[in-house]
Amino acid sequence: MDNPFQYSGVVEDAAYLPRAEIEKQLLEYAKSRQNLLVQGPRRVGKTSVVTNTFETLQRKKKCYFLKADFFGVSSLKGVRDILARALEQLPLTAQLRRKLSAQVGKITGMSAFGFGVNWRGTQREQMVEDILAMFAEINQSRPLVVFFDEFQSLLDMPIADEVLGRLRSEIQRQPNVFYIFAGSDRLRLREIFFVENGPFLKSAALLEVGLIERETFIPWLEDRFAEGKRKVDTAVWAPLFDLANDVPGDVQQFCHALWVKSDRGGRIDARLAEDALNYLVNMQESAFLDFWNFLSENQRKLLRGVATMPEEGHTSKGFLERVQLSSSSASSKAMDAMLTRGALWKVGNRFAFSNPVMKLWILRREVF
């Protein structure tokens, strides 16, 4: 049996834990065609729950599900190509595909063969709108769900305001197409959806995807291990969940390592769990070293403090004295840098490592 635990990319098939309440809400919003912003902590499973919910419906031919990931996009042509590739991947009927291909041919002046390739040869100003207009046409054949992931990445473009404005204008003309927006940076999404004069202000309802309760998650994880003839000691779970801050993606990372280090028919105890964590630290050490070597001395001190004193405020007297930072302003500056670079994130009233394995790596280093 293959390792059933996934922790990178979209979690699907047997590795996906159904989120019944979230899935129900997604379907209710889809039925009412109320566009939606999906938010939640990093690695909580936002993309996975949206993808699994609507890909299931697509397989039953109850909808089309178009997913466009804007991570790393830097230009209007980049937006066009992402949308065109997503359009090409839809399992359209042959008749609808021929119809849309013919439209592409008329717009681009090229022979109609697929969608994505043809767009790259045209400089037409309205090319993004042309593709979005096809979404409305597809929706007439079968309900279309459009999922724009990493939507905040559009803010990185020099012409972000223009592009976002054009997208909103076209989306507003499609009241019967259901759009879902999501991303990994809540603060930047706020700039788009919640601030005054934001390009998508009041244009989408908000759905929060929270952490999975341990009472639900642990039995599901135990079942996956049991399928591989492995038994996990009850005492193993609490330290792993604490280290992961209950984030599902990080819990799955730890379970993946537990599976690797255990044998069929074996028992997973605290000692084996420690071996699994050491395995993860060793696997990722070179990446951590590369990151560490580019940090300032104050940033290193801050990270060491967050690792050793997770409940202590980073501007408190005790924190500053312990890590030998000169002032609260120096600590705050280092914290801002680590939040911006994604090394840390805020969990309630404290800060935690985005990758908890890095915390272990820092704790196990002897020289700073």
Side-chain angles (χ1 to χ4, degrees):
M1 178 180 176
D2 293 336
N3 195 321
F5 301 106
Q6 298 178 21
Y7 60 93
S8 60
V10 178
V11 175
E12 298 179 292
D13 302 324
Y16 172 68
L17 169 60
R19 312 279 296 269
E21 184 57 35
I22 298 296
E23 292 169 11
K24 179 182 177 182
Q25 292 181 66
L26 285 169
L27 294 175
E28 289 174 349
Y29 280 113
K31 186 176 181 180
S32 65
R33 295 179 176 83
Q34 169 61 60
N35 292 343
L36 191 63
L37 170 63
V38 176
Q39 284 198 155
R42 48 165 292 282
R43 293 171 60 80
V44 76
K46 300 180 290 295
T47 300
S48 294
V49 69
V50 172
T51 300
N52 280 276
T53 299
F54 293 107
E55 282 192 345
T56 297
L57 287 183
Q58 181 169 251
R59 286 193 293 270
K60 296 177 180 178
K61 298 185 178 180
K62 292 185 177 181
C63 77
Y64 287 120
F65 177 62
L66 183 146
K67 178 184 173 184
D69 188 334
F70 291 108
F71 181 78
V73 70
S74 60
S75 67
L76 183 61
K77 287 184 178 180
V79 173
R80 174 202 65 187
D81 290 346
I82 289 170
L83 293 175
R85 284 194 298 270
L87 183 60
E88 277 193 313
Q89 293 170 7
L90 285 178
L92 303 175
T93 63
Q95 181 180 3
L96 184 54
R97 183 169 289 273
R98 284 195 299 270
K99 182 178 180 181
L100 295 180
S101 275
Q103 291 185 23
V104 173
K106 290 179 181 178
I107 293 170
T108 63
M110 301 178 185
S111 60
F113 181 78
F115 305 124
V117 174
N118 288 339
W119 294 104
R120 298 182 184 131
T122 179
Q123 299 300 317
R124 176 177 162 81
E125 178 64 22
Q126 302 300 312
M127 51 195 169
V128 169
E129 287 87 342
D130 291 332
I131 297 175
L132 290 178
M134 291 186 179
F135 293 177
E137 180 130 13
I138 292 169
N139 191 70
Q140 294 177 12
S141 172
R142 187 184 301 171
L144 175 66
V145 177
V146 178
F147 180 31
F148 286 165
D149 204 2
E150 297 299 343
F151 196 62
Q152 80 286 339
S153 295
L154 296 175
L155 291 173
D156 294 331
M157 296 187 298
I159 55 170
D161 289 343
E162 176 192 344
V163 173
L164 286 166
R166 288 168 63 175
L167 286 174
R168 173 168 180 167
S169 179
E170 186 60 37
I171 289 171
Q172 285 180 325
R173 297 190 183 99
Q174 301 180 10
N176 294 321
V177 179
F178 179 42
Y179 283 84
I180 304 173
F181 308 91
S184 56
D185 191 329
R186 303 175 66 104
L187 293 178
R188 304 199 75 200
L189 284 171
R190 180 178 176 81
E191 294 179 39
I192 299 174
F193 290 93
F194 297 116
V195 301
E196 188 175 355
N197 299 321
F200 276 73
L201 181 65
K202 297 182 179 179
S203 64
L206 176 63
L207 177 62
E208 286 281 348
V209 177
L211 302 172
I212 304 173
E213 294 183 356
R214 295 187 187 187
E215 293 77 8
T216 299
F217 203 3
I218 290 175
W220 182 86
L221 295 169
E222 290 177 331
D223 287 344
R224 303 286 82 71
F225 280 108
E227 290 170 4
K229 306 301 181 182
R230 291 159 167 85
K231 172 68 175 177
V232 183
D233 286 357
T234 302
V236 166
W237 291 118
L240 289 184
F241 272 77
D242 290 344
L243 179 61
N245 295 295
D246 287 78
V247 173
D250 293 328
V251 172
Q252 291 243 27
Q253 177 182 203
F254 296 153
C255 287
H256 187 279
L258 290 175
W259 184 280
V260 169
K261 301 301 291 184
S262 60
D263 296 317
R264 184 178 176 86
R267 173 172 159 243
I268 299 173
D269 57 14
R271 184 171 181 176
L272 191 145
E274 184 70 15
D275 289 343
L277 294 176
N278 286 331
Y279 163 79
L280 287 174
V281 171
N282 293 335
M283 286 276 291
Q284 301 177 40
E285 183 171 26
S286 62
F288 296 151
L289 277 171
D290 288 342
F291 180 75
W292 191 263
N293 289 335
F294 279 100
L295 299 180
S296 69
E297 187 59 32
N298 280 354
Q299 290 166 358
R300 294 177 185 177
K301 290 178 178 178
L302 175 87
L303 291 181
R304 189 181 186 189
V306 174
T308 56
M309 298 178 286
E311 303 298 333
E312 186 80 21
H314 68 284
T315 58
S316 70
K317 181 179 179 181
F319 185 98
L320 298 177
E321 290 179 350
R322 174 75 178 274
V323 300
Q324 297 182 339
L325 277 165
S326 60
S327 65
S328 59
S329 61
S331 185
S332 294
K333 182 178 179 180
M335 176 63 75
D336 289 343
M338 292 301 91
L339 292 172
T340 299
R341 297 191 65 173
L344 300 174
W345 67 297
K346 194 167 186 179
V347 185
N349 294 321
R350 63 185 181 86
F351 296 94
F353 284 83
S354 297
N355 182 352
V357 180
M358 187 176 191
K359 174 181 178 179
L360 293 178
W361 177 77
I362 291 174
L363 291 173
R364 294 173 188 189
R365 281 171 60 89
E366 296 182 358
V367 179
F368 283 86

